[in-house]
Amino acid sequence: GAVVSQHPSRVICKSGTSVKIECRSLDFQATTMFWYRQFPKQSLMLMATSNEGSKATYEQGVEKDKFLINHASLTLSTLTVTSAHPEDSSFYICSALTDVYEQYFGPGTRLTVT
Amino acid sequence: EDQVTQSPEALRLQEGESSSLNCSYTVSGLRGLFWYRQDPGKGPEFLFTLYSAGEEKEKERLKATLTKKESFLHITAPKPEDSATYLCAVQDSGTSYGKLTFGQGTILTVHP
């Protein structure tokens, strides 16, 4: 199956700082990648759809100025959480879409804002 | 609006006790129905894609089936290592970019 990596797996940052999470498709090219957020004991919540070379499409209620997404190549998308606050602490997961419309997920990033 | 409902919310089985997980869905046009397994603190792991009613797919102790309204994930003679949350998702052929609508998941616990 297709492999997607995320880095870092865990990050702790102070309130008011920014943190960047990378998502890479390792063995295939992905025109489209997705970013999700998952709260404890809940399902995945789609935050945004990232398309290579164009602006991301954000879901309703997601602040695009706070969650900056860049998809600069066919194998890399990044999510930057700007001016992070404790309420941004969560598990962030990316996925990459294959050419047969299957989404493969990364291992996730645990963000803790202190 | 696409909807996915999974049942039961939680399922406890003894090792070797076969059972099924249900995923009911409504979608204007189904491009695909997906099953994932998620372990605590990890991203979902892809299991199956089903495209049309009547289709079945198998992988080890798991077998997924699809009708026009629901999908079942059958687990035969489960082992403790099958314990995980199983997620079902649909992809609407009318939406762009392969977006998925997820159910809430079924937490499976298999006791030795």
Side-chain angles (χ1 to χ4, degrees):
Chain A
V3 181
V4 177
S5 70
Q6 261 182 265
H7 179 79
S9 57
R10 290 177 176 273
V11 59
I12 301 172
C13 70
K14 292 188 175 180
S15 187
T17 62
S18 296
V19 62
K20 180 186 284 188
I21 303 169
E22 292 187 350
C23 177
R24 294 182 185 272
S25 55
L26 298 184
D27 53 0
F28 67 102
Q29 293 185 328
T31 305
T32 302
M33 292 184 174
F34 300 88
W35 287 95
Y36 294 83
R37 187 172 177 175
Q38 189 173 36
F39 294 101
K41 299 188 185 300
Q42 293 190 22
S43 194
L44 286 78
M45 182 188 82
L46 180 65
M47 298 174 65
T49 302
S50 164
N51 290 292
E52 188 265 338
S54 64
K55 289 185 179 180
T57 303
Y58 291 83
E59 295 299 301
Q60 193 172 6
V62 177
E63 299 175 62
K64 60 182 178 183
D65 294 330
K66 180 167 192 59
F67 299 100
L68 300 179
I69 291 171
N70 184 278
H71 193 157
S73 79
L74 289 173
T75 58
L76 173 64
S77 176
T78 60
L79 169 69
T80 300
V81 183
T82 63
S83 187
H85 291 285
E87 56 265 31
D88 299 322
S89 297
S90 193
F91 191 53
Y92 293 87
I93 313 173
C94 72
S95 71
L97 192 69
T98 69
D99 56 1
V100 292
Y101 290 94
E102 292 174 341
Q103 282 191 35
Y104 284 83
F105 287 82
T109 296
R110 173 74 59 194
L111 170 64
T112 303
V113 185
T114 61
Chain B
E1 185 180 335
D2 301 336
Q3 285 193 323
V4 179
T5 303
Q6 291 187 245
S7 61
E9 290 184 10
L11 181 63
R12 292 174 175 266
L13 299 174
Q14 288 296 126
E15 184 171 2
E17 179 187 3
S18 301
S19 188
S20 296
L21 282 57
N22 177 264
C23 171
S24 297
Y25 66 93
T26 56
V27 63
S28 53
L30 183 70
R31 174 184 281 148
L33 184 140
F34 299 80
W35 282 98
Y36 292 89
R37 168 195 170 126
Q38 186 176 25
D39 292 303
K42 298 191 176 180
E45 174 191 344
F46 175 85
L47 293 175
F48 303 108
T49 310
L50 300 167
Y51 294 102
S52 57
E55 189 174 1
E56 299 182 351
K57 287 193 176 173
E58 289 188 64
K59 179 181 179 179
E60 297 180 356
R61 295 177 292 282
L62 301 177
K63 178 180 176 180
T65 62
L66 181 65
T67 73
K68 288 185 178 180
K69 294 182 179 181
E70 58 192 350
S71 177
F72 292 93
L73 185 65
H74 307 278
I75 303 177
T76 302
K79 298 182 177 182
E81 52 262 42
D82 294 322
S83 298
T85 297
Y86 290 85
L87 297 168
C88 171
V90 296
Q91 196 174 71
D92 191 325
S93 57
T95 62
S96 58
Y97 303 124
K99 250 170 88 166
L100 293 175
T101 300
F102 279 91
Q104 288 300 306
T106 293
I107 302 171
L108 174 66
T109 306
V110 182
H111 296 283

Short mmCIF file of all heavy atoms in Angstrom, two decimals, chain A residues 32 34 36 38 41-44 46 49 51 57 59 91 93 97 100-108 110, chain B residues 31 34 36 38 41-46 48-49 51 57 87 91 96-100 102-105 107:
data_model
loop_
_atom_site.label_atom_id
_atom_site.label_comp_id
_atom_site.label_asym_id
_atom_site.label_seq_id
_atom_site.Cartn_x
_atom_site.Cartn_y
_atom_site.Cartn_z
N THR A 32 -3.52 15.91 -4.41
CA THR A 32 -4.43 16.35 -3.35
C THR A 32 -4.04 15.68 -2.03
O THR A 32 -3.82 14.47 -1.99
CB THR A 32 -5.89 16.00 -3.68
OG1 THR A 32 -6.24 16.61 -4.93
CG2 THR A 32 -6.83 16.49 -2.59
N PHE A 34 -5.09 15.99 2.38
CA PHE A 34 -6.10 16.46 3.30
C PHE A 34 -5.48 16.61 4.68
O PHE A 34 -4.60 15.84 5.08
CB PHE A 34 -7.27 15.47 3.38
CG PHE A 34 -7.97 15.22 2.06
CD1 PHE A 34 -7.51 14.25 1.20
CD2 PHE A 34 -9.07 15.97 1.71
CE1 PHE A 34 -8.15 14.01 -0.02
CE2 PHE A 34 -9.72 15.74 0.50
CZ PHE A 34 -9.26 14.77 -0.37
N TYR A 36 -6.68 16.66 8.76
CA TYR A 36 -7.76 16.36 9.70
C TYR A 36 -7.30 16.69 11.12
O TYR A 36 -6.11 16.73 11.42
CB TYR A 36 -8.10 14.87 9.67
CG TYR A 36 -8.69 14.34 8.39
CD1 TYR A 36 -7.88 13.99 7.31
CD2 TYR A 36 -10.06 14.16 8.25
CE1 TYR A 36 -8.42 13.48 6.13
CE2 TYR A 36 -10.62 13.65 7.09
CZ TYR A 36 -9.79 13.31 6.04
OH TYR A 36 -10.33 12.80 4.88
N GLN A 38 -8.37 15.37 15.13
CA GLN A 38 -9.13 14.35 15.85
C GLN A 38 -9.07 14.61 17.34
O GLN A 38 -7.99 14.68 17.93
CB GLN A 38 -8.60 12.95 15.54
CG GLN A 38 -9.48 11.83 16.08
CD GLN A 38 -9.02 10.46 15.61
OE1 GLN A 38 -7.84 10.21 15.46
NE2 GLN A 38 -9.98 9.56 15.36
N LYS A 41 -11.54 10.18 21.48
CA LYS A 41 -12.73 9.34 21.35
C LYS A 41 -13.72 9.86 20.30
O LYS A 41 -14.91 9.55 20.37
CB LYS A 41 -13.44 9.18 22.70
CG LYS A 41 -12.57 8.52 23.76
CD LYS A 41 -13.37 8.21 25.00
CE LYS A 41 -12.47 7.66 26.10
NZ LYS A 41 -11.78 6.42 25.73
N GLN A 42 -13.22 10.64 19.35
CA GLN A 42 -14.08 11.12 18.27
C GLN A 42 -13.51 10.73 16.92
O GLN A 42 -12.35 10.33 16.82
CB GLN A 42 -14.23 12.65 18.35
CG GLN A 42 -14.99 13.12 19.58
CD GLN A 42 -15.32 14.60 19.49
OE1 GLN A 42 -15.36 15.18 18.42
NE2 GLN A 42 -15.56 15.20 20.63
N SER A 43 -14.34 10.85 15.92
CA SER A 43 -13.89 10.52 14.57
C SER A 43 -13.07 11.68 14.00
O SER A 43 -12.89 12.71 14.66
CB SER A 43 -15.08 10.20 13.69
OG SER A 43 -14.66 9.59 12.49
N LEU A 44 -12.61 11.51 12.79
CA LEU A 44 -11.78 12.53 12.16
C LEU A 44 -12.63 13.70 11.68
O LEU A 44 -13.72 13.50 11.13
CB LEU A 44 -11.06 11.94 10.96
CG LEU A 44 -9.89 11.00 11.25
CD1 LEU A 44 -10.37 9.64 11.64
CD2 LEU A 44 -8.98 10.92 10.03
N LEU A 46 -12.46 16.81 9.11
CA LEU A 46 -11.72 17.39 8.01
C LEU A 46 -11.54 18.89 8.22
O LEU A 46 -12.51 19.60 8.46
CB LEU A 46 -12.43 17.13 6.67
CG LEU A 46 -11.75 17.70 5.43
CD1 LEU A 46 -10.40 17.03 5.19
CD2 LEU A 46 -12.65 17.53 4.21
N THR A 49 -8.68 20.84 2.43
CA THR A 49 -8.19 20.08 1.29
C THR A 49 -7.08 20.88 0.64
O THR A 49 -7.26 22.07 0.33
CB THR A 49 -9.32 19.84 0.28
OG1 THR A 49 -10.40 19.16 0.93
CG2 THR A 49 -8.84 19.02 -0.90
N ASN A 51 -4.39 21.31 -2.44
CA ASN A 51 -4.10 20.93 -3.81
C ASN A 51 -2.78 21.54 -4.26
O ASN A 51 -2.54 22.73 -4.05
CB ASN A 51 -5.21 21.40 -4.74
CG ASN A 51 -6.48 20.61 -4.51
OD1 ASN A 51 -6.54 19.43 -4.81
ND2 ASN A 51 -7.49 21.25 -3.97
N THR A 57 -8.55 24.56 0.29
CA THR A 57 -9.97 24.78 0.53
C THR A 57 -10.27 24.38 1.96
O THR A 57 -10.05 23.22 2.34
CB THR A 57 -10.83 23.92 -0.42
OG1 THR A 57 -10.48 24.23 -1.78
CG2 THR A 57 -12.31 24.21 -0.20
N GLU A 59 -12.68 23.87 5.40
CA GLU A 59 -14.04 23.53 5.80
C GLU A 59 -14.63 24.67 6.64
O GLU A 59 -13.91 25.50 7.21
CB GLU A 59 -14.04 22.23 6.61
CG GLU A 59 -13.60 21.02 5.81
CD GLU A 59 -14.51 20.74 4.62
OE1 GLU A 59 -15.73 20.51 4.84
OE2 GLU A 59 -14.01 20.74 3.48
N PHE A 91 -4.75 16.12 18.01
CA PHE A 91 -4.07 15.15 17.16
C PHE A 91 -4.38 15.54 15.72
O PHE A 91 -5.54 15.56 15.31
CB PHE A 91 -4.58 13.75 17.50
CG PHE A 91 -3.81 12.62 16.90
CD1 PHE A 91 -2.43 12.53 17.07
CD2 PHE A 91 -4.45 11.62 16.18
CE1 PHE A 91 -1.71 11.48 16.53
CE2 PHE A 91 -3.73 10.56 15.64
CZ PHE A 91 -2.37 10.50 15.81
N ILE A 93 -3.85 14.84 11.68
CA ILE A 93 -3.54 13.74 10.77
C ILE A 93 -3.69 14.23 9.33
O ILE A 93 -4.67 14.92 9.01
CB ILE A 93 -4.49 12.54 10.97
CG1 ILE A 93 -4.62 12.18 12.45
CG2 ILE A 93 -4.00 11.32 10.18
CD1 ILE A 93 -5.67 11.11 12.71
N LEU A 97 -4.10 11.55 -1.45
CA LEU A 97 -5.04 10.89 -2.36
C LEU A 97 -4.28 10.26 -3.52
O LEU A 97 -3.51 10.94 -4.20
CB LEU A 97 -6.05 11.92 -2.88
CG LEU A 97 -7.27 11.38 -3.62
CD1 LEU A 97 -8.20 10.66 -2.66
CD2 LEU A 97 -8.02 12.53 -4.31
N VAL A 100 -6.35 6.58 -7.78
CA VAL A 100 -7.62 5.84 -7.81
C VAL A 100 -8.52 6.30 -6.65
O VAL A 100 -9.40 5.57 -6.20
CB VAL A 100 -7.41 4.31 -7.77
CG1 VAL A 100 -6.78 3.84 -9.07
CG2 VAL A 100 -6.59 3.88 -6.57
N TYR A 101 -8.25 7.51 -6.19
CA TYR A 101 -9.11 8.16 -5.18
C TYR A 101 -9.13 7.49 -3.83
O TYR A 101 -10.10 7.60 -3.09
CB TYR A 101 -10.54 8.34 -5.71
CG TYR A 101 -10.64 9.37 -6.79
CD1 TYR A 101 -10.58 9.01 -8.12
CD2 TYR A 101 -10.79 10.73 -6.48
CE1 TYR A 101 -10.66 9.96 -9.12
CE2 TYR A 101 -10.87 11.69 -7.47
CZ TYR A 101 -10.80 11.30 -8.79
OH TYR A 101 -10.88 12.24 -9.78
N GLU A 102 -8.07 6.78 -3.50
CA GLU A 102 -7.96 6.22 -2.15
C GLU A 102 -7.12 7.15 -1.30
O GLU A 102 -6.09 7.64 -1.75
CB GLU A 102 -7.33 4.81 -2.21
CG GLU A 102 -8.24 3.79 -2.88
CD GLU A 102 -7.58 2.44 -3.07
OE1 GLU A 102 -6.34 2.37 -3.04
OE2 GLU A 102 -8.32 1.45 -3.28
N GLN A 103 -7.59 7.38 -0.06
CA GLN A 103 -6.84 8.22 0.86
C GLN A 103 -6.00 7.33 1.78
O GLN A 103 -6.52 6.43 2.44
CB GLN A 103 -7.77 9.07 1.72
CG GLN A 103 -8.34 10.28 1.01
CD GLN A 103 -9.05 11.24 1.95
OE1 GLN A 103 -8.61 11.41 3.10
NE2 GLN A 103 -10.10 11.87 1.49
N TYR A 104 -4.71 7.63 1.82
CA TYR A 104 -3.80 6.96 2.74
C TYR A 104 -3.34 7.98 3.77
O TYR A 104 -2.99 9.12 3.43
CB TYR A 104 -2.61 6.35 2.00
CG TYR A 104 -2.98 5.09 1.26
CD1 TYR A 104 -3.56 5.17 0.00
CD2 TYR A 104 -2.78 3.85 1.83
CE1 TYR A 104 -3.94 4.01 -0.69
CE2 TYR A 104 -3.15 2.69 1.15
CZ TYR A 104 -3.72 2.78 -0.10
OH TYR A 104 -4.10 1.63 -0.76
N PHE A 105 -3.36 7.55 5.04
CA PHE A 105 -3.14 8.48 6.13
C PHE A 105 -1.72 8.40 6.70
O PHE A 105 -1.09 7.34 6.69
CB PHE A 105 -4.13 8.20 7.27
CG PHE A 105 -5.53 8.64 6.94
CD1 PHE A 105 -6.37 7.84 6.18
CD2 PHE A 105 -6.00 9.87 7.36
CE1 PHE A 105 -7.66 8.25 5.85
CE2 PHE A 105 -7.29 10.29 7.06
CZ PHE A 105 -8.12 9.48 6.29
N GLY A 106 -1.27 9.54 7.20
CA GLY A 106 -0.03 9.58 7.94
C GLY A 106 -0.25 9.08 9.36
O GLY A 106 -1.40 8.84 9.76
N PRO A 107 0.82 8.96 10.13
CA PRO A 107 0.71 8.44 11.50
C PRO A 107 0.19 9.44 12.50
O PRO A 107 -0.08 9.08 13.64
CB PRO A 107 2.16 8.03 11.82
CG PRO A 107 2.99 8.91 10.96
CD PRO A 107 2.21 9.13 9.71
N GLY A 108 0.07 10.71 12.10
CA GLY A 108 -0.47 11.71 13.00
C GLY A 108 0.60 12.48 13.76
O GLY A 108 1.74 12.01 13.93
N ARG A 110 0.86 14.71 17.40
CA ARG A 110 0.24 15.15 18.65
C ARG A 110 0.79 16.52 19.01
O ARG A 110 1.98 16.64 19.28
CB ARG A 110 0.54 14.16 19.76
CG ARG A 110 0.07 14.58 21.16
CD ARG A 110 -1.42 14.46 21.31
NE ARG A 110 -1.89 13.10 21.08
CZ ARG A 110 -3.16 12.80 20.90
NH1 ARG A 110 -4.09 13.73 20.95
NH2 ARG A 110 -3.52 11.54 20.69
N ARG B 31 -19.03 6.87 -5.04
CA ARG B 31 -17.82 6.56 -5.79
C ARG B 31 -17.11 5.38 -5.13
O ARG B 31 -16.59 4.51 -5.82
CB ARG B 31 -16.87 7.76 -5.84
CG ARG B 31 -15.51 7.43 -6.49
CD ARG B 31 -14.59 8.62 -6.43
NE ARG B 31 -14.90 9.61 -7.46
CZ ARG B 31 -14.72 10.91 -7.30
NH1 ARG B 31 -14.27 11.38 -6.18
NH2 ARG B 31 -14.99 11.75 -8.29
N PHE B 34 -15.12 3.02 2.05
CA PHE B 34 -13.80 2.67 2.55
C PHE B 34 -13.89 2.18 4.00
O PHE B 34 -14.65 2.71 4.80
CB PHE B 34 -12.88 3.90 2.51
CG PHE B 34 -12.68 4.45 1.13
CD1 PHE B 34 -13.63 5.28 0.55
CD2 PHE B 34 -11.54 4.15 0.41
CE1 PHE B 34 -13.46 5.78 -0.72
CE2 PHE B 34 -11.36 4.65 -0.86
CZ PHE B 34 -12.32 5.47 -1.43
N TYR B 36 -11.30 1.54 7.32
CA TYR B 36 -9.99 1.79 7.89
C TYR B 36 -9.96 1.19 9.29
O TYR B 36 -10.98 1.09 9.97
CB TYR B 36 -9.70 3.29 8.01
CG TYR B 36 -9.52 4.02 6.71
CD1 TYR B 36 -10.61 4.58 6.05
CD2 TYR B 36 -8.26 4.18 6.15
CE1 TYR B 36 -10.45 5.27 4.86
CE2 TYR B 36 -8.08 4.87 4.96
CZ TYR B 36 -9.19 5.41 4.32
OH TYR B 36 -9.01 6.10 3.14
N GLN B 38 -8.00 1.95 12.98
CA GLN B 38 -7.19 2.94 13.67
C GLN B 38 -6.84 2.44 15.06
O GLN B 38 -7.72 2.13 15.87
CB GLN B 38 -7.90 4.29 13.76
CG GLN B 38 -7.01 5.38 14.36
CD GLN B 38 -7.65 6.74 14.37
OE1 GLN B 38 -8.87 6.89 14.37
NE2 GLN B 38 -6.83 7.78 14.37
N GLY B 41 -3.68 6.56 19.11
CA GLY B 41 -2.52 7.41 18.90
C GLY B 41 -1.88 7.27 17.54
O GLY B 41 -0.75 7.74 17.33
N LYS B 42 -2.59 6.65 16.60
CA LYS B 42 -2.03 6.47 15.25
C LYS B 42 -3.04 6.91 14.20
O LYS B 42 -4.23 7.06 14.47
CB LYS B 42 -1.65 5.01 15.03
CG LYS B 42 -0.58 4.53 15.98
CD LYS B 42 -0.02 3.19 15.57
CE LYS B 42 1.12 2.78 16.49
NZ LYS B 42 1.69 1.45 16.12
N GLY B 43 -2.55 7.10 12.97
CA GLY B 43 -3.44 7.44 11.88
C GLY B 43 -4.16 6.21 11.38
O GLY B 43 -3.73 5.08 11.60
N PRO B 44 -5.30 6.40 10.70
CA PRO B 44 -6.04 5.27 10.17
C PRO B 44 -5.23 4.48 9.14
O PRO B 44 -4.51 5.06 8.33
CB PRO B 44 -7.26 5.93 9.51
CG PRO B 44 -7.41 7.24 10.21
CD PRO B 44 -6.01 7.68 10.49
N GLU B 45 -5.41 3.17 9.20
CA GLU B 45 -4.74 2.26 8.26
C GLU B 45 -5.76 1.78 7.24
O GLU B 45 -6.81 1.24 7.61
CB GLU B 45 -4.15 1.08 9.01
CG GLU B 45 -3.55 -0.01 8.13
CD GLU B 45 -3.22 -1.26 8.92
OE1 GLU B 45 -3.17 -1.18 10.17
OE2 GLU B 45 -3.04 -2.32 8.30
N PHE B 46 -5.46 1.93 5.97
CA PHE B 46 -6.37 1.54 4.90
C PHE B 46 -6.59 0.03 4.90
O PHE B 46 -5.63 -0.75 5.01
CB PHE B 46 -5.80 1.98 3.55
CG PHE B 46 -6.60 1.53 2.37
CD1 PHE B 46 -7.69 2.28 1.94
CD2 PHE B 46 -6.29 0.38 1.69
CE1 PHE B 46 -8.43 1.87 0.84
CE2 PHE B 46 -7.02 -0.04 0.59
CZ PHE B 46 -8.10 0.71 0.18
N PHE B 48 -9.93 -1.55 3.03
CA PHE B 48 -10.65 -1.95 1.82
C PHE B 48 -11.30 -0.75 1.15
O PHE B 48 -11.67 0.22 1.81
CB PHE B 48 -11.80 -2.92 2.14
CG PHE B 48 -11.41 -4.17 2.85
CD1 PHE B 48 -11.74 -4.34 4.18
CD2 PHE B 48 -10.74 -5.18 2.20
CE1 PHE B 48 -11.42 -5.51 4.86
CE2 PHE B 48 -10.41 -6.34 2.86
CZ PHE B 48 -10.74 -6.50 4.19
N THR B 49 -11.47 -0.87 -0.17
CA THR B 49 -12.38 0.00 -0.91
C THR B 49 -13.41 -0.89 -1.61
O THR B 49 -13.05 -1.89 -2.24
CB THR B 49 -11.66 0.80 -2.01
OG1 THR B 49 -10.52 1.45 -1.46
CG2 THR B 49 -12.60 1.84 -2.59
N TYR B 51 -16.78 -0.62 -4.31
CA TYR B 51 -17.29 0.33 -5.27
C TYR B 51 -18.76 0.12 -5.64
O TYR B 51 -19.44 1.08 -5.99
CB TYR B 51 -16.45 0.29 -6.55
CG TYR B 51 -15.03 0.76 -6.35
CD1 TYR B 51 -13.98 -0.14 -6.25
CD2 TYR B 51 -14.74 2.12 -6.25
CE1 TYR B 51 -12.68 0.30 -6.06
CE2 TYR B 51 -13.45 2.57 -6.07
CZ TYR B 51 -12.43 1.66 -5.98
OH TYR B 51 -11.13 2.09 -5.80
N LYS B 57 -14.64 -8.04 -0.37
CA LYS B 57 -13.18 -8.10 -0.33
C LYS B 57 -12.75 -8.72 0.97
O LYS B 57 -13.40 -8.53 2.01
CB LYS B 57 -12.57 -6.71 -0.50
CG LYS B 57 -12.70 -6.20 -1.92
CD LYS B 57 -11.85 -4.99 -2.18
CE LYS B 57 -11.96 -4.59 -3.64
NZ LYS B 57 -11.29 -3.30 -3.93
N LEU B 87 -13.17 2.29 11.20
CA LEU B 87 -13.85 3.44 10.62
C LEU B 87 -14.36 3.13 9.23
O LEU B 87 -13.66 2.50 8.43
CB LEU B 87 -12.89 4.64 10.53
CG LEU B 87 -12.33 5.18 11.84
CD1 LEU B 87 -11.19 6.15 11.57
CD2 LEU B 87 -13.42 5.88 12.64
N GLN B 91 -17.28 8.07 -0.18
CA GLN B 91 -16.80 9.10 -1.09
C GLN B 91 -17.89 9.34 -2.12
O GLN B 91 -18.28 8.42 -2.85
CB GLN B 91 -15.52 8.63 -1.75
CG GLN B 91 -14.69 9.69 -2.42
CD GLN B 91 -13.38 9.08 -2.91
OE1 GLN B 91 -13.35 8.32 -3.86
NE2 GLN B 91 -12.29 9.41 -2.23
N SER B 96 -15.77 16.99 -5.21
CA SER B 96 -14.47 17.07 -5.85
C SER B 96 -13.37 16.57 -4.92
O SER B 96 -13.55 16.46 -3.72
CB SER B 96 -14.18 18.51 -6.25
OG SER B 96 -14.23 19.33 -5.12
N TYR B 97 -12.28 16.24 -5.47
CA TYR B 97 -11.05 15.96 -4.74
C TYR B 97 -11.09 14.77 -3.80
O TYR B 97 -10.27 14.65 -2.93
CB TYR B 97 -10.61 17.19 -3.94
CG TYR B 97 -10.42 18.42 -4.81
CD1 TYR B 97 -11.12 19.59 -4.53
CD2 TYR B 97 -9.58 18.40 -5.91
CE1 TYR B 97 -10.96 20.71 -5.33
CE2 TYR B 97 -9.41 19.51 -6.71
CZ TYR B 97 -10.10 20.67 -6.41
OH TYR B 97 -9.95 21.76 -7.20
N GLY B 98 -12.07 13.86 -3.98
CA GLY B 98 -12.02 12.64 -3.20
C GLY B 98 -12.27 12.78 -1.73
O GLY B 98 -11.77 11.97 -0.93
N LYS B 99 -13.04 13.78 -1.32
CA LYS B 99 -13.37 13.95 0.09
C LYS B 99 -14.10 12.74 0.65
O LYS B 99 -14.89 12.11 -0.04
CB LYS B 99 -14.29 15.16 0.24
CG LYS B 99 -13.66 16.35 0.91
CD LYS B 99 -14.57 17.57 0.80
CE LYS B 99 -15.55 17.65 1.92
NZ LYS B 99 -16.19 18.99 1.98
N LEU B 100 -13.85 12.45 1.92
CA LEU B 100 -14.51 11.34 2.61
C LEU B 100 -15.44 11.86 3.69
O LEU B 100 -15.14 12.84 4.36
CB LEU B 100 -13.48 10.41 3.26
CG LEU B 100 -12.57 9.62 2.33
CD1 LEU B 100 -11.52 8.85 3.14
CD2 LEU B 100 -13.38 8.67 1.47
N PHE B 102 -16.90 10.40 7.15
CA PHE B 102 -16.63 9.30 8.07
C PHE B 102 -17.79 9.05 9.01
O PHE B 102 -18.52 9.96 9.39
CB PHE B 102 -15.40 9.63 8.93
CG PHE B 102 -14.10 9.36 8.26
CD1 PHE B 102 -13.46 10.35 7.53
CD2 PHE B 102 -13.50 8.12 8.35
CE1 PHE B 102 -12.25 10.11 6.90
CE2 PHE B 102 -12.29 7.86 7.73
CZ PHE B 102 -11.67 8.86 7.00
N GLY B 103 -17.93 7.78 9.42
CA GLY B 103 -18.78 7.44 10.54
C GLY B 103 -18.00 7.66 11.83
O GLY B 103 -16.82 8.02 11.81
N GLN B 104 -18.68 7.42 12.95
CA GLN B 104 -18.07 7.66 14.25
C GLN B 104 -17.16 6.52 14.70
O GLN B 104 -16.44 6.65 15.67
CB GLN B 104 -19.14 7.89 15.31
CG GLN B 104 -19.83 9.24 15.16
CD GLN B 104 -18.85 10.38 15.28
OE1 GLN B 104 -18.11 10.51 16.23
NE2 GLN B 104 -18.83 11.25 14.26
N GLY B 105 -17.22 5.41 13.98
CA GLY B 105 -16.33 4.30 14.31
C GLY B 105 -16.95 3.29 15.26
O GLY B 105 -17.88 3.59 16.00
N ILE B 107 -15.54 0.68 18.19
CA ILE B 107 -14.38 0.27 18.99
C ILE B 107 -14.50 -1.22 19.27
O ILE B 107 -15.43 -1.66 19.95
CB ILE B 107 -14.32 1.05 20.31
CG1 ILE B 107 -14.27 2.54 20.05
CG2 ILE B 107 -13.12 0.59 21.13
CD1 ILE B 107 -14.44 3.39 21.30
#
